[in-house]
Amino acid sequence: MNSFQFVNPTHIVFGEGTANQVGQLTAKHGKTVLLVYGSGSVKKTGLYDKTVSLLQDAGVTVHELPNIEPNPRLSTVNKGIAICREQSVDFILAVGGGSVIDAAKAIAAGVPYDGDVWDFFTGKAVIEKALPIGTILTLAATGSEMNGSSVVTNWEENLKRAFGSSHTYPKFSILDPTLTYTVPRNHTVNGAVDIMSHVFEQYFSLTENTPLQERFCESILQTVIENVELALENPEHAAARANLMWSGTMALNGGMISVGMANDWASHGIEHEVSAIYDIPHGAGLAVIFPNWMKYVHEERIDRFVQYATRVWGVNPAGKSDQEIALEGIQATRDFFTRIGAESRLADFEIGSEKLDRMAEEAVRYGAIGSFKRLEKQDVKAILELSL
Amino acid sequence: MNSFQFVNPTHIVFGEGTANQVGQLTAKHGKTVLLVYGSGSVKKTGLYDKTVSLLQDAGVTVHELPNIEPNPRLSTVNKGIAICREQSVDFILAVGGGSVIDAAKAIAAGVPYDGDVWDFFTGKAVIEKALPIGTILTLAATGSEMNGSSVVTNWEENLKRAFGSSHTYPKFSILDPTLTYTVPRNHTVNGAVDIMSHVFEQYFSLTENTPLQERFCESILQTVIENVELALENPEHAAARANLMWSGTMALNGGMISVGMANDWASHGIEHEVSAIYDIPHGAGLAVIFPNWMKYVHEERIDRFVQYATRVWGVNPAGKSDQEIALEGIQATRDFFTRIGAESRLADFEIGSEKLDRMAEEAVRYGAIGSFKRLEKQDVKAILELSL
């Protein structure tokens, strides 16, 4: 285990009906709110009307930024920053999934910054302050509800980049699993893949002597595996929806499950290059990339893949080589993703080999990526080719 | 899973050498510090001298309260409160294990309170503010380094009571596992029992549909089981000490591993009555009480005990009844405690049956205790009798 620091100040309010507390929770932090949301599903479900009404009852003035894209765009973030400045907004409320929350964080960081908010994504500047934000989560996936990270796409330049800051942890996040009852099947699938992928990025690590962290990771993987099909069969399965939601939050709550461990994040980096060009859903891209990353890198540390196969997938090791056990675990991952309905090939999105070289080039623009196995351009390209 | 709220603002600084950061971390919060510590082992190891020197280098004025008892006493807490008021102390630094940290919390809550600090332990008053505190942890056991709870003994009245408050979470806790290399064998054992007992209080719950929380609990139990003997064999086993320390913190970091679950805490209540009279170490008392509590209550929810036996102890369920599997898991617990050197009977502390009735009476003074099985006076007495 390496040395580490950990702190996570986000206040979680979890359970059915907790969205009713949004007025009082928001009023603690701000008087003029920018309400950020997505494509309008929150309007269909009535959550939008309820939220606006509760905010107004709490004496809060509401401005709004609708239509956050599934891969939130820099142009939209800049629109939000402009509204906040014009209207003297002092709090941002994100109602939605990860993309909405990520956009809200970027706006929050951008408002008090004199330069271009994109500077925070390119590393040109570091966030020193941000408006406070809160969230009502409507999708089990991202973990963004309990961390300081944000991913935004600069569509003009086909660049998808991330920042992480201690200033952009939500002050509160309302997690009402019943709000996910109406999540469409494919979003439920992509969300589950996203949660598992967040764990993979932390679990497949070269750091030694981290048994508790590894078991926390395995706990989340097993819980997602056991619950996602229940939620797909019955979208109003209360326990499954609650377990998926809490798994998503725990999977990326500031890295608690992997404190003191080197993280990898190469697969996310590769996926970001795909969706920066083709605008496919993040979870869908990960379902394609991750099993191929596993195949490509597993020999770096076969014992972790053996542990993964046996503990998470119950692979029986009797009479098998480590290599066989590891590959069985990777195949179980692929089969599971396929069984729940996730895509397995880039071709499923009509993505061919044309831009593979460019994506590989972009993925390593600052040097090799990943820590489990350092990936150079040719490695990234090989993983993308496996994914065709 | 029940509805819940969760927030834990404590900043953890973990790793070898992190105690060197105490000056700068403290100076962020205060200028005049009360340094609280125990029997003097921190003087022997040099940690005391180093801490004082680092604090002074950071421009902090240091007052001190030594000799905190293993079961910290109200009279000592009151002594600390008086020093803080006289010297205008604005920050409390606890250097030690759970008892030292608990005393620091009680002092922190007592200083700005006009009444008797004991009011917070009897429920007569609620903490509305407290001085900020920080900790340097020297024992893997309590979890007090990352929660708002405190347990103090009113020795004059033989009462041991607890409070919990959002105002008494440490601002920071320094967790340097190498500081536990010098922990005596029996304290290492009692600490491990304490950690496991904290998990038991949360894990044995009647709440349904909490698979992630249950696995988090099992993760900690397995990690402690795998590491405590390594630390006993080699007190300077870096990985074992680190894993035990982080397990202790995670086991009781504001209830994160059991969010949305009813907790029990009856065994702690019973043990508190024993140590309030006989002043035995908390962990040692728990090692005696807990297996007997398990025997007494396991039929309330046999499936949880079957899960415990199979997942944590690897009990092979083939051809056995649930009852047999459950009892095998309970016996494995008892055997493990014995194997690492924990006491198994009250008689090992020369405690006889004389005061059992009084202890049972006191344990239920506010009504039945526990939630897994509600224990009336006769139940508590029966568990104590099993423990003789």
Side-chain angles (χ1 to χ4, degrees):
Chain A
M1 194 186 323
N2 302 327
S3 294
F4 67 84
Q5 298 202 30
F6 179 79
V7 60
N8 191 329
T10 300
H11 175 197
I12 296 291
V13 183
F14 188 103
E16 182 172 357
T18 49
N20 292 326
Q21 297 176 41
V22 70
Q24 66 209 66
L25 285 165
T26 299
K28 276 188 200 171
H29 300 283
K31 290 186 169 171
T32 308
V33 168
L34 182 70
L35 179 62
V36 181
Y37 58 97
S39 62
S41 65
V42 295
K43 289 205 167 168
K44 273 182 228 144
T45 61
L47 179 60
Y48 170 86
D49 284 339
K50 189 166 84 168
T51 301
V52 169
S53 158
L54 287 164
L55 290 171
Q56 287 171 342
D57 289 351
V60 170
T61 303
V62 182
H63 301 277
E64 61 178 78
L65 179 70
N67 300 319
I68 303 297
E69 304 82 4
N71 288 309
R73 299 188 180 186
L74 178 61
S75 53
T76 311
V77 167
N78 278 322
K79 213 183 286 179
I81 292 171
I83 298 172
C84 288
R85 288 176 179 162
E86 281 159 22
Q87 306 293 342
S88 302
V89 163
D90 58 7
F91 188 81
I92 301 176
L93 180 67
V95 181
S99 56
V100 171
I101 299 172
D102 284 9
K105 288 176 182 172
I107 296 166
V111 171
Y113 178 60
D114 286 337
D116 183 348
V117 68
W118 189 244
D119 293 348
F120 298 133
F121 293 92
T122 58
K124 198 177 145 192
V126 171
I127 296 168
E128 285 174 6
K129 54 186 171 177
L131 289 187
I133 75 163
T135 86
I136 301 178
L137 184 67
T138 61
L139 180 69
T142 170
S144 192
E145 64 276 11
M146 203 180 180
N147 67 45
S149 300
S150 170
V151 180
V152 163
T153 299
N154 181 335
W155 190 246
E156 289 65 37
E157 300 184 34
N158 287 139
L159 298 175
K160 187 172 180 178
R161 297 284 182 274
F163 72 59
S165 167
S166 64
H167 298 284
T168 45
Y169 277 69
K171 297 294 176 194
F172 65 81
S173 280
I174 293 172
L175 275 57
D176 179 349
T178 68
L179 297 178
T180 66
Y181 286 177
T182 53
V183 169
R185 188 177 179 90
N186 62 330
H187 286 203
T188 300
V189 170
N190 291 341
V193 173
D194 197 27
I195 296 168
M196 293 177 68
S197 299
H198 291 160
V199 177
F200 294 152
E201 299 284 18
Q202 301 169 80
Y203 178 72
F204 293 108
S205 170
L206 298 183
T207 310
E208 299 286 348
N209 293 314
T210 54
L212 183 58
Q213 293 90 324
E214 293 158 35
R215 283 206 168 91
F216 278 179
C217 288
E218 291 154 358
S219 298
I220 295 172
L221 293 172
Q222 290 176 285
T223 305
V224 172
I225 292 164
E226 288 169 1
N227 283 276
V228 64
E229 286 171 291
L230 297 174
L232 292 172
E233 280 158 26
N234 171 12
E236 302 198 3
H237 193 300
R241 290 296 195 181
N243 291 328
L244 287 173
M245 186 169 255
W246 190 233
S247 293
T249 303
M250 285 291 100
L252 209 54
N253 67 341
M256 188 213 72
I257 60 168
S258 68
V259 286
M261 295 172 78
N263 284 201
D264 192 80
W265 296 104
S267 300
H268 269 69
I270 299 172
E271 194 289 322
H272 285 178
E273 298 311 326
V274 178
S275 54
I277 294 179
Y278 294 100
D279 205 16
I280 65 173
H282 177 55
L286 289 167
V288 173
I289 302 289
F290 235 118
N292 293 314
W293 174 87
M294 291 179 176
K295 275 187 209 158
Y296 194 78
V297 307
H298 71 278
E299 288 176 342
E300 296 296 309
R301 181 171 192 173
I302 197 86
D303 64 319
R304 181 58 46 84
F305 274 91
V306 168
Q307 180 178 316
Y308 170 67
T310 52
R311 289 196 190 167
V312 175
W313 294 108
V315 170
N316 181 352
K320 294 170 195 159
S321 69
D322 282 359
Q323 172 78 356
E324 286 169 326
I325 299 165
L327 288 176
E328 215 173 302
I330 295 169
Q331 190 59 46
T333 313
R334 174 70 268 158
D335 292 346
F336 176 74
F337 286 170
T338 300
R339 192 163 74 242
I340 62 176
E343 288 79 1
S344 62
R345 300 172 55 204
L346 291 175
D348 296 330
F349 303 98
E350 299 178 7
I351 297 174
S353 59
E354 303 79 10
K355 295 183 177 169
L356 253 50
D357 197 74
R358 177 177 160 195
M359 291 190 272
E361 180 82 40
E362 267 300 322
V364 299
R365 68 199 166 278
Y366 302 130
I369 57 172
S371 72
F372 191 78
K373 178 182 172 73
R374 297 292 291 165
L375 303 180
E376 305 288 351
K377 182 185 168 184
Q378 69 273 20
D379 302 306
V380 174
K381 202 170 171 189
I383 292 168
L384 285 167
E385 278 165 354
L386 284 172
S387 306
L388 283 172
Chain B
M1 194 185 324
N2 302 327
S3 294
F4 67 85
Q5 298 201 29
F6 179 80
V7 62
N8 191 328
T10 299
H11 174 196
I12 296 292
V13 183
F14 188 104
E16 181 172 356
T18 49
N20 292 326
Q21 298 177 40
V22 70
Q24 66 210 64
L25 285 166
T26 300
K28 276 189 201 171
H29 300 283
K31 291 187 169 171
T32 308
V33 168
L34 182 69
L35 180 62
V36 182
Y37 58 98
S39 62
S41 65
V42 295
K43 290 205 169 168
K44 273 181 231 148
T45 61
L47 180 60
Y48 170 87
D49 284 339
K50 188 166 85 169
T51 302
V52 170
S53 157
L54 287 164
L55 290 171
Q56 287 171 343
D57 289 351
V60 170
T61 303
V62 182
H63 301 279
E64 62 178 77
L65 180 69
N67 299 319
I68 303 297
E69 304 82 5
N71 288 309
R73 298 187 182 188
L74 178 60
S75 53
T76 311
V77 167
N78 278 321
K79 214 183 286 178
I81 293 170
I83 300 172
C84 289
R85 287 176 181 162
E86 281 158 23
Q87 306 295 342
S88 301
V89 163
D90 57 8
F91 188 81
I92 301 176
L93 180 68
V95 181
S99 57
V100 172
I101 299 171
D102 284 10
K105 288 176 182 172
I107 296 166
V111 172
Y113 178 60
D114 287 335
D116 183 351
V117 68
W118 189 244
D119 293 348
F120 299 134
F121 292 91
T122 58
K124 198 178 145 191
V126 171
I127 296 167
E128 285 173 4
K129 53 185 171 179
L131 289 186
I133 75 164
T135 86
I136 301 179
L137 185 66
T138 62
L139 180 69
T142 172
S144 193
E145 64 276 12
M146 204 181 180
N147 66 46
S149 300
S150 170
V151 179
V152 163
T153 300
N154 181 333
W155 191 246
E156 288 65 37
E157 301 184 36
N158 287 140
L159 298 175
K160 187 172 180 176
R161 297 283 183 273
F163 72 59
S165 167
S166 64
H167 298 284
T168 46
Y169 277 69
K171 297 294 175 194
F172 65 81
S173 280
I174 293 172
L175 276 55
D176 179 348
T178 69
L179 296 179
T180 65
Y181 286 177
T182 54
V183 169
R185 188 177 179 89
N186 62 330
H187 286 203
T188 300
V189 170
N190 291 341
V193 173
D194 197 26
I195 296 169
M196 292 177 70
S197 298
H198 291 160
V199 177
F200 293 151
E201 299 284 18
Q202 301 170 80
Y203 178 72
F204 293 108
S205 170
L206 298 183
T207 310
E208 300 285 350
N209 293 315
T210 54
L212 182 59
Q213 293 90 324
E214 293 157 37
R215 283 205 168 93
F216 278 178
C217 288
E218 291 154 359
S219 298
I220 295 173
L221 294 172
Q222 291 176 284
T223 304
V224 173
I225 292 165
E226 288 169 1
N227 283 277
V228 64
E229 286 171 291
L230 297 174
L232 291 172
E233 281 158 27
N234 172 13
E236 303 197 5
H237 193 301
R241 290 295 195 181
N243 291 326
L244 288 173
M245 186 168 254
W246 190 234
S247 294
T249 303
M250 285 290 100
L252 209 54
N253 68 341
M256 188 213 72
I257 60 168
S258 67
V259 287
M261 294 172 78
N263 283 200
D264 191 78
W265 296 104
S267 299
H268 268 69
I270 298 171
E271 194 289 321
H272 285 180
E273 298 310 325
V274 178
S275 55
I277 293 178
Y278 295 99
D279 205 16
I280 66 173
H282 177 55
L286 289 167
V288 173
I289 303 290
F290 235 118
N292 293 314
W293 175 86
M294 290 179 176
K295 276 187 206 158
Y296 194 79
V297 308
H298 71 278
E299 287 177 341
E300 297 295 309
R301 181 171 192 173
I302 197 85
D303 64 320
R304 181 58 45 84
F305 275 91
V306 168
Q307 180 178 316
Y308 170 67
T310 54
R311 289 195 191 168
V312 175
W313 295 107
V315 170
N316 181 351
K320 293 170 195 157
S321 69
D322 281 359
Q323 172 78 356
E324 287 169 326
I325 299 165
L327 288 176
E328 214 173 302
I330 295 169
Q331 190 59 44
T333 313
R334 174 69 268 158
D335 292 346
F336 175 74
F337 286 169
T338 300
R339 191 163 76 241
I340 62 176
E343 288 79 2
S344 64
R345 299 171 56 206
L346 291 175
D348 296 330
F349 303 99
E350 298 178 7
I351 297 173
S353 60
E354 303 79 12
K355 296 183 177 169
L356 253 50
D357 198 73
R358 177 176 159 196
M359 291 190 273
E361 180 82 39
E362 267 300 323
V364 299
R365 69 202 165 278
Y366 302 130
I369 58 171
S371 73
F372 191 77
K373 178 182 171 72
R374 297 291 290 166
L375 303 179
E376 305 288 350
K377 182 184 169 186
Q378 69 273 19
D379 302 306
V380 174
K381 201 170 170 189
I383 291 168
L384 285 167
E385 279 164 353
L386 283 171
S387 307
L388 282 172

Short mmCIF file of all heavy atoms in Angstrom, two decimals, chain A residues 1 10 30 70 85 113 117 141 165 186 188 255 272 280 302-304 307-308 324 326 367 375:
data_model
loop_
_atom_site.label_atom_id
_atom_site.label_comp_id
_atom_site.label_asym_id
_atom_site.label_seq_id
_atom_site.Cartn_x
_atom_site.Cartn_y
_atom_site.Cartn_z
N MET A 1 0.85 -1.19 0.00
CA MET A 1 0.00 0.00 0.00
C MET A 1 0.89 1.24 0.00
O MET A 1 1.83 1.32 0.77
CB MET A 1 -0.90 -0.03 1.26
CG MET A 1 -2.04 0.97 1.21
SD MET A 1 -3.06 1.12 2.73
CE MET A 1 -3.17 -0.53 3.37
N THR A 10 -18.66 15.32 0.54
CA THR A 10 -20.02 15.35 -0.02
C THR A 10 -21.03 14.71 0.94
O THR A 10 -20.82 13.62 1.45
CB THR A 10 -20.08 14.63 -1.38
OG1 THR A 10 -19.19 15.28 -2.29
CG2 THR A 10 -21.48 14.64 -1.96
N GLY A 30 -27.18 28.56 -1.35
CA GLY A 30 -27.31 29.62 -2.35
C GLY A 30 -28.72 30.18 -2.43
O GLY A 30 -29.67 29.59 -1.92
N PRO A 70 -25.17 14.02 -23.84
CA PRO A 70 -24.65 12.80 -23.17
C PRO A 70 -23.13 12.88 -22.99
O PRO A 70 -22.61 12.45 -21.96
CB PRO A 70 -25.04 11.68 -24.13
CG PRO A 70 -26.23 12.19 -24.87
CD PRO A 70 -26.01 13.68 -25.01
N ARG A 85 -22.82 34.30 -14.73
CA ARG A 85 -22.26 35.64 -14.54
C ARG A 85 -23.32 36.71 -14.71
O ARG A 85 -23.41 37.65 -13.92
CB ARG A 85 -21.12 35.85 -15.53
CG ARG A 85 -19.87 35.03 -15.16
CD ARG A 85 -18.79 35.17 -16.19
NE ARG A 85 -17.61 34.40 -15.82
CZ ARG A 85 -16.64 34.06 -16.67
NH1 ARG A 85 -16.71 34.44 -17.95
NH2 ARG A 85 -15.60 33.36 -16.25
N TYR A 113 -13.35 32.10 -12.82
CA TYR A 113 -12.03 32.06 -13.49
C TYR A 113 -12.01 33.04 -14.66
O TYR A 113 -12.94 33.05 -15.48
CB TYR A 113 -11.77 30.64 -13.98
CG TYR A 113 -10.47 30.46 -14.73
CD1 TYR A 113 -9.24 30.73 -14.12
CD2 TYR A 113 -10.47 30.02 -16.06
CE1 TYR A 113 -8.05 30.56 -14.82
CE2 TYR A 113 -9.27 29.84 -16.75
CZ TYR A 113 -8.07 30.12 -16.12
OH TYR A 113 -6.90 29.96 -16.81
N VAL A 117 -12.33 28.22 -19.46
CA VAL A 117 -12.53 27.06 -18.59
C VAL A 117 -11.83 25.81 -19.15
O VAL A 117 -11.46 24.90 -18.40
CB VAL A 117 -14.03 26.78 -18.34
CG1 VAL A 117 -14.72 26.32 -19.62
CG2 VAL A 117 -14.23 25.77 -17.22
N ALA A 141 -24.37 5.26 -12.37
CA ALA A 141 -23.28 5.06 -13.31
C ALA A 141 -22.00 5.76 -12.89
O ALA A 141 -20.98 5.13 -12.64
CB ALA A 141 -23.68 5.56 -14.69
N SER A 165 -10.77 18.05 -9.01
CA SER A 165 -10.42 19.13 -8.08
C SER A 165 -11.14 18.92 -6.76
O SER A 165 -12.27 18.43 -6.72
CB SER A 165 -10.82 20.48 -8.67
OG SER A 165 -10.76 21.49 -7.67
N ASN A 186 -31.03 0.61 -22.28
CA ASN A 186 -29.63 0.75 -22.71
C ASN A 186 -28.82 1.64 -21.76
O ASN A 186 -27.63 1.41 -21.55
CB ASN A 186 -29.54 1.25 -24.16
CG ASN A 186 -30.17 2.63 -24.33
OD1 ASN A 186 -31.10 2.99 -23.61
ND2 ASN A 186 -29.67 3.39 -25.27
N THR A 188 -29.39 1.80 -18.54
CA THR A 188 -29.13 0.96 -17.36
C THR A 188 -27.92 0.06 -17.62
O THR A 188 -27.04 -0.10 -16.76
CB THR A 188 -30.37 0.10 -17.04
OG1 THR A 188 -31.48 0.98 -16.79
CG2 THR A 188 -30.14 -0.79 -15.83
N GLY A 255 -12.07 7.85 -4.87
CA GLY A 255 -11.01 6.84 -4.83
C GLY A 255 -10.91 6.09 -3.51
O GLY A 255 -9.90 5.46 -3.23
N HIS A 272 -12.32 7.63 -24.41
CA HIS A 272 -12.56 9.06 -24.63
C HIS A 272 -12.19 9.47 -26.05
O HIS A 272 -12.85 10.31 -26.65
CB HIS A 272 -11.77 9.90 -23.61
CG HIS A 272 -12.37 9.88 -22.24
ND1 HIS A 272 -11.80 10.53 -21.17
CD2 HIS A 272 -13.49 9.29 -21.76
CE1 HIS A 272 -12.55 10.33 -20.09
NE2 HIS A 272 -13.57 9.58 -20.42
N ILE A 280 -20.26 8.26 -29.14
CA ILE A 280 -21.00 7.10 -28.63
C ILE A 280 -21.08 7.20 -27.11
O ILE A 280 -20.28 7.89 -26.48
CB ILE A 280 -20.34 5.76 -29.04
CG1 ILE A 280 -18.95 5.61 -28.37
CG2 ILE A 280 -20.21 5.67 -30.56
CD1 ILE A 280 -18.31 4.25 -28.59
N ILE A 302 -0.50 -11.61 -13.69
CA ILE A 302 -1.47 -12.68 -13.88
C ILE A 302 -2.21 -13.01 -12.57
O ILE A 302 -3.38 -13.37 -12.58
CB ILE A 302 -0.76 -13.93 -14.46
CG1 ILE A 302 -1.79 -14.91 -15.05
CG2 ILE A 302 0.15 -14.59 -13.46
CD1 ILE A 302 -2.17 -14.61 -16.48
N ASP A 303 -1.54 -12.79 -11.42
CA ASP A 303 -2.19 -13.16 -10.15
C ASP A 303 -3.44 -12.33 -9.89
O ASP A 303 -4.41 -12.82 -9.33
CB ASP A 303 -1.20 -13.05 -8.97
CG ASP A 303 -0.73 -11.64 -8.73
OD1 ASP A 303 -0.45 -10.92 -9.72
OD2 ASP A 303 -0.62 -11.23 -7.56
N ARG A 304 -3.41 -11.04 -10.27
CA ARG A 304 -4.60 -10.22 -10.05
C ARG A 304 -5.74 -10.69 -10.94
O ARG A 304 -6.90 -10.69 -10.53
CB ARG A 304 -4.28 -8.73 -10.29
CG ARG A 304 -5.43 -7.75 -10.07
CD ARG A 304 -6.02 -7.80 -8.65
NE ARG A 304 -5.04 -7.82 -7.61
CZ ARG A 304 -4.44 -6.73 -7.10
NH1 ARG A 304 -4.76 -5.55 -7.54
NH2 ARG A 304 -3.54 -6.85 -6.15
N GLN A 307 -7.14 -13.84 -9.42
CA GLN A 307 -7.99 -13.47 -8.28
C GLN A 307 -9.35 -12.95 -8.77
O GLN A 307 -10.40 -13.29 -8.21
CB GLN A 307 -7.25 -12.40 -7.46
CG GLN A 307 -8.01 -11.90 -6.25
CD GLN A 307 -7.18 -10.88 -5.48
OE1 GLN A 307 -5.98 -11.06 -5.26
NE2 GLN A 307 -7.79 -9.77 -5.08
N TYR A 308 -9.29 -12.12 -9.78
CA TYR A 308 -10.53 -11.57 -10.37
C TYR A 308 -11.43 -12.70 -10.88
O TYR A 308 -12.63 -12.74 -10.58
CB TYR A 308 -10.14 -10.62 -11.51
CG TYR A 308 -11.28 -10.15 -12.38
CD1 TYR A 308 -12.27 -9.32 -11.89
CD2 TYR A 308 -11.35 -10.54 -13.73
CE1 TYR A 308 -13.31 -8.87 -12.70
CE2 TYR A 308 -12.38 -10.09 -14.55
CZ TYR A 308 -13.36 -9.27 -14.04
OH TYR A 308 -14.38 -8.83 -14.84
N GLU A 324 -4.99 -19.81 -18.15
CA GLU A 324 -6.34 -20.29 -18.49
C GLU A 324 -7.39 -19.68 -17.57
O GLU A 324 -8.47 -19.28 -18.01
CB GLU A 324 -6.39 -21.82 -18.39
CG GLU A 324 -5.68 -22.51 -19.55
CD GLU A 324 -5.49 -24.02 -19.32
OE1 GLU A 324 -5.28 -24.43 -18.15
OE2 GLU A 324 -5.54 -24.76 -20.29
N ALA A 326 -7.16 -16.86 -15.88
CA ALA A 326 -7.26 -15.44 -16.19
C ALA A 326 -8.13 -15.20 -17.43
O ALA A 326 -9.04 -14.36 -17.42
CB ALA A 326 -5.87 -14.83 -16.39
N GLY A 367 2.23 11.36 -23.69
CA GLY A 367 3.09 10.23 -23.34
C GLY A 367 2.27 8.98 -23.11
O GLY A 367 1.03 9.00 -23.23
N LEU A 375 1.05 2.03 -21.88
CA LEU A 375 0.66 1.82 -23.27
C LEU A 375 1.20 2.94 -24.15
O LEU A 375 0.89 4.11 -23.95
CB LEU A 375 -0.86 1.77 -23.39
CG LEU A 375 -1.60 0.71 -22.55
CD1 LEU A 375 -3.11 0.82 -22.78
CD2 LEU A 375 -1.12 -0.69 -22.88
#
